[in-house]
């Protein structure tokens, strides 16, 4: 998409979307069908699983993994690994509990 930046040694899976003004830094991998929303920043050596969704303006700090089908909320700052299928929100990002709005 327009304004997207993908840096050196990054691998992008089939059907993945790197949306407007999103940045994927060096040595990352983005799984098949993953979606990185507008203005998200994926820093170095991050691994994003298949069909994961990274919300608008989210920041993923270096050397973390986001599991397949995980969801990262808009504006979240992710500083630790996110398990498969988890939903993380906030600053710093934390799991969305069952009692919170989904």
């Amino acid at each position: 998409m327009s304004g997207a930046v993908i840096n050196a040694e990054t691998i992008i899976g089939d059907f993945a979307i790197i949306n407007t003004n999103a940045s994927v830094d060096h040595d990352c991998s983005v799984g098949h069908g993953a979606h990185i929303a507008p203005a998200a920043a994926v820093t170095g050596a991050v691994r994003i699983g298949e069909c994961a969704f990274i919300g608008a303006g989210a920041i993923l700090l270096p050397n973390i993994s986001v599991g397949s089908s995980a969801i990262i909320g808009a504006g979240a700052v992710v500083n630790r690994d996110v398990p498969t299928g988890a939903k993380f929100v906030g600053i710093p990002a934390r799991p969305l509990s069952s009692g919170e709005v989904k």
Side-chain angles (χ1 to χ4, degrees), residues 43-85:
T43 62
V46 170
R47 294 161 308 285
I48 299 172
E50 293 184 2
C51 298
F53 178 81
I54 311 302
I59 299 170
L60 280 61
L61 297 179
N63 298 308
I64 64 161
S65 293
V66 175
S68 296
S69 300
I71 297 172
I72 307 299
V77 177
V78 181
N79 61 359
R80 61 181 166 146
D81 290 348
V82 176
T84 295

Side-chain angles (χ1 to χ4, degrees), residues 21-48:
N21 292 324
S23 173
V24 181
D25 219 333
H26 63 89
D27 301 302
C28 291
S29 64
V30 178
H32 303 298
H35 183 153
I36 300 174
V42 179
T43 62
V46 170
R47 294 161 308 285
I48 299 172

